[in-house]
Short mmCIF file of all heavy atoms in Angstrom, two decimals:
data_model
loop_
_atom_site.label_atom_id
_atom_site.label_comp_id
_atom_site.label_asym_id
_atom_site.label_seq_id
_atom_site.Cartn_x
_atom_site.Cartn_y
_atom_site.Cartn_z
N GLY A 193 -27.43 -22.07 -10.54
CA GLY A 193 -26.35 -22.77 -11.26
C GLY A 193 -25.40 -21.97 -12.02
O GLY A 193 -24.22 -22.02 -11.86
N PRO A 194 -25.96 -21.18 -12.97
CA PRO A 194 -25.15 -20.34 -13.86
C PRO A 194 -24.21 -19.41 -13.12
O PRO A 194 -23.09 -19.16 -13.59
CB PRO A 194 -26.10 -19.58 -14.73
CG PRO A 194 -27.40 -20.32 -14.67
CD PRO A 194 -27.43 -21.00 -13.30
N ILE A 195 -24.62 -18.94 -11.98
CA ILE A 195 -23.74 -18.04 -11.17
C ILE A 195 -22.63 -18.85 -10.56
O ILE A 195 -21.49 -18.43 -10.60
CB ILE A 195 -24.54 -17.30 -10.03
CG1 ILE A 195 -25.69 -16.44 -10.65
CG2 ILE A 195 -23.64 -16.51 -9.17
CD1 ILE A 195 -25.15 -15.31 -11.49
N LYS A 196 -22.96 -20.05 -10.04
CA LYS A 196 -21.89 -20.90 -9.50
C LYS A 196 -20.89 -21.26 -10.55
O LYS A 196 -19.66 -21.25 -10.34
CB LYS A 196 -22.53 -22.18 -8.93
CG LYS A 196 -23.25 -21.96 -7.60
CD LYS A 196 -23.59 -23.26 -6.96
CE LYS A 196 -24.61 -23.08 -5.82
NZ LYS A 196 -25.66 -24.12 -5.85
N ALA A 197 -21.46 -21.53 -11.78
CA ALA A 197 -20.60 -21.91 -12.89
C ALA A 197 -19.58 -20.75 -13.25
O ALA A 197 -18.46 -20.95 -13.43
CB ALA A 197 -21.37 -22.27 -14.11
N LEU A 198 -20.13 -19.55 -13.23
CA LEU A 198 -19.35 -18.41 -13.51
C LEU A 198 -18.21 -18.26 -12.51
O LEU A 198 -17.05 -17.99 -12.80
CB LEU A 198 -20.26 -17.14 -13.36
CG LEU A 198 -19.93 -15.87 -14.10
CD1 LEU A 198 -19.95 -16.07 -15.61
CD2 LEU A 198 -20.87 -14.73 -13.69
N ALA A 199 -18.54 -18.49 -11.21
CA ALA A 199 -17.55 -18.35 -10.12
C ALA A 199 -16.46 -19.44 -10.30
O ALA A 199 -15.30 -19.14 -10.20
CB ALA A 199 -18.26 -18.53 -8.79
N THR A 200 -16.86 -20.65 -10.69
CA THR A 200 -15.87 -21.71 -10.85
C THR A 200 -14.96 -21.43 -12.04
O THR A 200 -13.78 -21.62 -11.97
CB THR A 200 -16.60 -23.06 -11.22
OG1 THR A 200 -17.76 -23.17 -10.34
CG2 THR A 200 -15.69 -24.27 -10.97
N ARG A 201 -15.51 -20.88 -13.10
CA ARG A 201 -14.73 -20.62 -14.29
C ARG A 201 -13.81 -19.42 -14.19
O ARG A 201 -12.68 -19.46 -14.70
CB ARG A 201 -15.67 -20.33 -15.49
CG ARG A 201 -15.65 -21.56 -16.40
CD ARG A 201 -16.39 -21.36 -17.67
NE ARG A 201 -15.45 -21.06 -18.71
CZ ARG A 201 -15.89 -20.68 -19.95
NH1 ARG A 201 -17.10 -20.51 -20.20
NH2 ARG A 201 -14.98 -20.44 -20.89
N TYR A 202 -14.31 -18.39 -13.55
CA TYR A 202 -13.56 -17.13 -13.68
C TYR A 202 -12.94 -16.68 -12.36
O TYR A 202 -12.35 -15.59 -12.26
CB TYR A 202 -14.47 -16.00 -14.24
CG TYR A 202 -14.82 -16.21 -15.65
CD1 TYR A 202 -16.02 -16.80 -15.96
CD2 TYR A 202 -13.95 -15.81 -16.65
CE1 TYR A 202 -16.42 -17.06 -17.27
CE2 TYR A 202 -14.33 -16.04 -18.00
CZ TYR A 202 -15.55 -16.61 -18.27
OH TYR A 202 -15.90 -16.84 -19.57
N MET A 203 -13.09 -17.46 -11.29
CA MET A 203 -12.60 -16.96 -10.00
C MET A 203 -11.57 -17.99 -9.50
O MET A 203 -11.60 -19.17 -9.85
CB MET A 203 -13.74 -16.76 -9.02
CG MET A 203 -14.69 -15.73 -9.45
SD MET A 203 -16.11 -15.48 -8.34
CE MET A 203 -15.37 -14.54 -6.98
N ARG A 204 -10.63 -17.49 -8.66
CA ARG A 204 -9.61 -18.35 -8.14
C ARG A 204 -9.84 -18.72 -6.68
O ARG A 204 -9.72 -17.86 -5.83
CB ARG A 204 -8.25 -17.65 -8.25
CG ARG A 204 -7.69 -17.75 -9.70
CD ARG A 204 -6.36 -17.09 -9.79
NE ARG A 204 -6.46 -15.71 -9.33
CZ ARG A 204 -5.55 -14.82 -9.43
NH1 ARG A 204 -4.37 -15.09 -9.97
NH2 ARG A 204 -5.70 -13.56 -9.07
N ASP A 205 -10.28 -19.95 -6.46
CA ASP A 205 -10.45 -20.48 -5.13
C ASP A 205 -11.15 -19.46 -4.21
O ASP A 205 -10.58 -19.05 -3.16
CB ASP A 205 -9.04 -20.82 -4.61
CG ASP A 205 -9.14 -21.54 -3.30
OD1 ASP A 205 -10.21 -22.15 -3.01
OD2 ASP A 205 -8.13 -21.51 -2.49
N PRO A 206 -12.38 -19.02 -4.57
CA PRO A 206 -13.01 -17.97 -3.80
C PRO A 206 -13.43 -18.41 -2.37
O PRO A 206 -13.78 -19.59 -2.17
CB PRO A 206 -14.28 -17.64 -4.59
CG PRO A 206 -14.53 -18.88 -5.46
CD PRO A 206 -13.21 -19.49 -5.72
N VAL A 207 -13.38 -17.46 -1.48
CA VAL A 207 -13.86 -17.78 -0.10
C VAL A 207 -15.38 -17.41 -0.11
O VAL A 207 -15.76 -16.35 -0.67
CB VAL A 207 -13.16 -16.84 0.94
CG1 VAL A 207 -13.61 -17.20 2.38
CG2 VAL A 207 -11.67 -16.94 0.79
N GLU A 208 -16.21 -18.29 0.47
CA GLU A 208 -17.61 -17.98 0.51
C GLU A 208 -17.98 -17.38 1.78
O GLU A 208 -17.66 -17.82 2.89
CB GLU A 208 -18.40 -19.22 0.29
CG GLU A 208 -18.33 -19.77 -1.15
CD GLU A 208 -19.04 -21.11 -1.34
OE1 GLU A 208 -19.95 -21.39 -0.52
OE2 GLU A 208 -18.62 -21.77 -2.35
N VAL A 209 -18.74 -16.23 1.70
CA VAL A 209 -19.28 -15.56 2.90
C VAL A 209 -20.79 -15.38 2.77
O VAL A 209 -21.28 -15.23 1.66
CB VAL A 209 -18.64 -14.25 3.24
CG1 VAL A 209 -17.17 -14.37 3.48
CG2 VAL A 209 -18.82 -13.26 2.08
N SER A 210 -21.49 -15.43 3.86
CA SER A 210 -22.92 -15.11 3.82
C SER A 210 -23.34 -14.60 5.14
O SER A 210 -22.73 -14.79 6.19
CB SER A 210 -23.69 -16.37 3.45
OG SER A 210 -23.61 -17.29 4.56
N VAL A 211 -24.46 -13.84 5.14
CA VAL A 211 -25.06 -13.39 6.34
C VAL A 211 -25.88 -14.54 6.92
O VAL A 211 -26.67 -15.07 6.23
CB VAL A 211 -25.98 -12.22 6.15
CG1 VAL A 211 -26.50 -11.68 7.44
CG2 VAL A 211 -25.31 -11.14 5.37
N SER A 212 -25.59 -14.94 8.14
CA SER A 212 -26.33 -15.87 8.94
C SER A 212 -27.22 -16.83 8.16
O SER A 212 -28.11 -16.47 7.46
CB SER A 212 -27.19 -15.04 9.90
OG SER A 212 -28.35 -15.81 10.23
N ARG A 213 -26.93 -18.09 8.28
CA ARG A 213 -27.79 -19.13 7.62
C ARG A 213 -28.65 -19.84 8.59
O ARG A 213 -29.53 -20.63 8.19
CB ARG A 213 -26.89 -20.15 6.84
CG ARG A 213 -25.77 -19.54 6.03
CD ARG A 213 -26.20 -19.48 4.61
NE ARG A 213 -27.28 -18.51 4.37
CZ ARG A 213 -28.38 -18.80 3.63
NH1 ARG A 213 -28.57 -19.88 3.14
NH2 ARG A 213 -29.22 -17.86 3.46
N GLU A 214 -28.41 -19.65 9.87
CA GLU A 214 -29.15 -20.46 10.81
C GLU A 214 -30.50 -19.84 11.11
O GLU A 214 -30.74 -18.65 10.91
CB GLU A 214 -28.42 -20.47 12.18
CG GLU A 214 -27.24 -21.41 12.13
CD GLU A 214 -26.07 -20.87 13.02
OE1 GLU A 214 -26.38 -20.42 14.13
OE2 GLU A 214 -24.99 -20.82 12.40
N ASN A 215 -31.39 -20.69 11.53
CA ASN A 215 -32.70 -20.15 11.88
C ASN A 215 -32.69 -19.62 13.27
O ASN A 215 -31.96 -20.09 14.15
CB ASN A 215 -33.73 -21.33 11.82
CG ASN A 215 -33.89 -21.80 10.39
OD1 ASN A 215 -33.92 -20.98 9.50
ND2 ASN A 215 -34.01 -23.09 10.23
N ILE A 216 -33.52 -18.61 13.51
CA ILE A 216 -33.46 -17.90 14.77
C ILE A 216 -34.95 -17.84 15.24
O ILE A 216 -35.86 -17.69 14.40
CB ILE A 216 -32.98 -16.52 14.60
CG1 ILE A 216 -31.77 -16.50 13.74
CG2 ILE A 216 -32.71 -15.84 15.92
CD1 ILE A 216 -31.61 -15.24 12.91
N THR A 217 -35.16 -17.90 16.53
CA THR A 217 -36.52 -17.83 16.95
C THR A 217 -36.96 -16.41 17.36
O THR A 217 -36.14 -15.72 17.93
CB THR A 217 -36.88 -18.75 18.11
OG1 THR A 217 -35.72 -18.82 18.90
CG2 THR A 217 -37.30 -20.10 17.60
N VAL A 218 -38.14 -16.06 17.03
CA VAL A 218 -38.58 -14.65 17.34
C VAL A 218 -39.64 -14.72 18.33
O VAL A 218 -40.50 -15.64 18.32
CB VAL A 218 -39.25 -14.14 15.99
CG1 VAL A 218 -39.77 -12.77 16.19
CG2 VAL A 218 -38.14 -14.13 14.91
N PRO A 219 -39.65 -13.74 19.26
CA PRO A 219 -40.73 -13.77 20.27
C PRO A 219 -42.07 -13.43 19.57
O PRO A 219 -42.11 -13.01 18.39
CB PRO A 219 -40.32 -12.58 21.14
CG PRO A 219 -39.28 -11.79 20.41
CD PRO A 219 -38.64 -12.81 19.43
N LEU A 220 -43.17 -13.76 20.24
CA LEU A 220 -44.50 -13.54 19.72
C LEU A 220 -44.84 -12.10 19.65
O LEU A 220 -45.17 -11.47 20.66
CB LEU A 220 -45.52 -14.30 20.53
CG LEU A 220 -45.85 -15.72 20.05
CD1 LEU A 220 -46.91 -16.32 21.01
CD2 LEU A 220 -46.26 -15.76 18.62
N ILE A 221 -44.76 -11.56 18.45
CA ILE A 221 -44.97 -10.12 18.35
C ILE A 221 -45.70 -9.95 16.98
O ILE A 221 -45.43 -10.68 16.04
CB ILE A 221 -43.62 -9.38 18.27
CG1 ILE A 221 -42.94 -9.45 19.56
CG2 ILE A 221 -43.77 -7.97 17.82
CD1 ILE A 221 -41.44 -9.02 19.60
N ASP A 222 -46.65 -9.04 16.93
CA ASP A 222 -47.26 -8.73 15.62
C ASP A 222 -46.27 -7.98 14.79
O ASP A 222 -45.76 -6.95 15.23
CB ASP A 222 -48.50 -7.86 15.81
CG ASP A 222 -49.68 -8.70 16.42
OD1 ASP A 222 -49.70 -9.92 16.13
OD2 ASP A 222 -50.51 -8.13 17.11
N GLN A 223 -46.02 -8.53 13.61
CA GLN A 223 -45.03 -7.89 12.79
C GLN A 223 -45.60 -7.44 11.42
O GLN A 223 -46.25 -8.16 10.74
CB GLN A 223 -43.88 -8.89 12.44
CG GLN A 223 -43.23 -9.38 13.73
CD GLN A 223 -42.30 -10.54 13.35
OE1 GLN A 223 -41.36 -10.38 12.68
NE2 GLN A 223 -42.62 -11.71 13.97
N PHE A 224 -45.35 -6.14 11.10
CA PHE A 224 -45.84 -5.62 9.85
C PHE A 224 -44.75 -4.94 9.08
O PHE A 224 -43.69 -4.58 9.66
CB PHE A 224 -46.93 -4.53 10.14
CG PHE A 224 -48.08 -4.99 10.95
CD1 PHE A 224 -48.20 -4.78 12.25
CD2 PHE A 224 -49.05 -5.80 10.36
CE1 PHE A 224 -49.26 -5.21 13.05
CE2 PHE A 224 -50.12 -6.30 11.06
CZ PHE A 224 -50.23 -6.01 12.43
N TYR A 225 -44.96 -4.73 7.80
CA TYR A 225 -44.02 -3.89 7.08
C TYR A 225 -44.74 -2.99 6.13
O TYR A 225 -45.91 -3.27 5.65
CB TYR A 225 -42.99 -4.70 6.36
CG TYR A 225 -43.39 -5.39 5.04
CD1 TYR A 225 -43.19 -4.69 3.83
CD2 TYR A 225 -43.99 -6.58 5.02
CE1 TYR A 225 -43.57 -5.26 2.62
CE2 TYR A 225 -44.40 -7.17 3.80
CZ TYR A 225 -44.19 -6.54 2.63
OH TYR A 225 -44.56 -7.06 1.39
N TYR A 226 -44.16 -1.87 5.88
CA TYR A 226 -44.71 -0.90 4.85
C TYR A 226 -43.66 -0.69 3.82
O TYR A 226 -42.46 -0.48 4.12
CB TYR A 226 -44.96 0.50 5.53
CG TYR A 226 -46.03 0.41 6.56
CD1 TYR A 226 -45.72 0.41 7.94
CD2 TYR A 226 -47.41 0.36 6.24
CE1 TYR A 226 -46.71 0.43 8.88
CE2 TYR A 226 -48.39 0.36 7.18
CZ TYR A 226 -48.00 0.37 8.50
OH TYR A 226 -49.03 0.33 9.47
N GLU A 227 -44.07 -0.69 2.57
CA GLU A 227 -43.16 -0.44 1.50
C GLU A 227 -43.46 0.94 0.90
O GLU A 227 -44.58 1.21 0.51
CB GLU A 227 -43.35 -1.48 0.39
CG GLU A 227 -42.34 -1.34 -0.75
CD GLU A 227 -42.45 -2.40 -1.76
OE1 GLU A 227 -42.79 -3.56 -1.47
OE2 GLU A 227 -42.30 -2.07 -2.97
N THR A 228 -42.49 1.79 0.94
CA THR A 228 -42.77 3.22 0.50
C THR A 228 -41.40 3.77 0.04
O THR A 228 -40.40 3.49 0.49
CB THR A 228 -43.41 4.05 1.57
OG1 THR A 228 -43.33 5.42 1.17
CG2 THR A 228 -42.62 3.97 2.93
N ARG A 229 -41.54 4.77 -0.94
CA ARG A 229 -40.40 5.50 -1.29
C ARG A 229 -40.22 6.77 -0.46
O ARG A 229 -39.24 7.45 -0.53
CB ARG A 229 -40.52 6.00 -2.80
CG ARG A 229 -40.31 4.79 -3.73
CD ARG A 229 -40.35 5.32 -5.16
NE ARG A 229 -40.51 4.17 -6.04
CZ ARG A 229 -39.47 3.49 -6.46
NH1 ARG A 229 -38.25 3.78 -6.16
NH2 ARG A 229 -39.65 2.43 -7.24
N ASP A 230 -41.26 7.08 0.35
CA ASP A 230 -41.14 8.30 1.23
C ASP A 230 -41.35 7.75 2.65
O ASP A 230 -42.42 7.80 3.21
CB ASP A 230 -42.27 9.28 0.81
CG ASP A 230 -42.07 10.63 1.50
OD1 ASP A 230 -41.30 10.70 2.47
OD2 ASP A 230 -42.70 11.57 1.07
N LYS A 231 -40.26 7.31 3.29
CA LYS A 231 -40.36 6.68 4.57
C LYS A 231 -40.84 7.69 5.66
O LYS A 231 -41.54 7.36 6.58
CB LYS A 231 -39.04 6.01 4.94
CG LYS A 231 -38.69 4.85 4.09
CD LYS A 231 -37.67 3.96 4.74
CE LYS A 231 -36.31 4.52 4.73
NZ LYS A 231 -35.24 3.65 5.16
N LEU A 232 -40.34 8.90 5.55
CA LEU A 232 -40.68 9.90 6.57
C LEU A 232 -42.14 10.19 6.61
O LEU A 232 -42.77 10.21 7.69
CB LEU A 232 -39.88 11.17 6.29
CG LEU A 232 -40.09 12.28 7.36
CD1 LEU A 232 -39.79 11.78 8.75
CD2 LEU A 232 -39.30 13.57 7.01
#
Side-chain angles (χ1 to χ4, degrees):
I195 298 295
K196 285 192 195 136
L198 203 66
T200 319
R201 251 188 102 187
Y202 293 95
M203 297 178 75
R204 280 181 303 190
D205 188 22
V207 183
E208 287 177 23
V209 297
S210 68
V211 184
S212 152
R213 312 262 67 227
E214 284 143 49
N215 294 319
I216 317 150
T217 34
V218 176
L220 268 181
I221 293 168
D222 285 333
Q223 301 169 61
F224 302 102
Y225 78 94
Y226 296 102
E227 182 177 325
T228 169
R229 286 183 193 276
D230 190 346
K231 293 198 288 187
L232 182 58

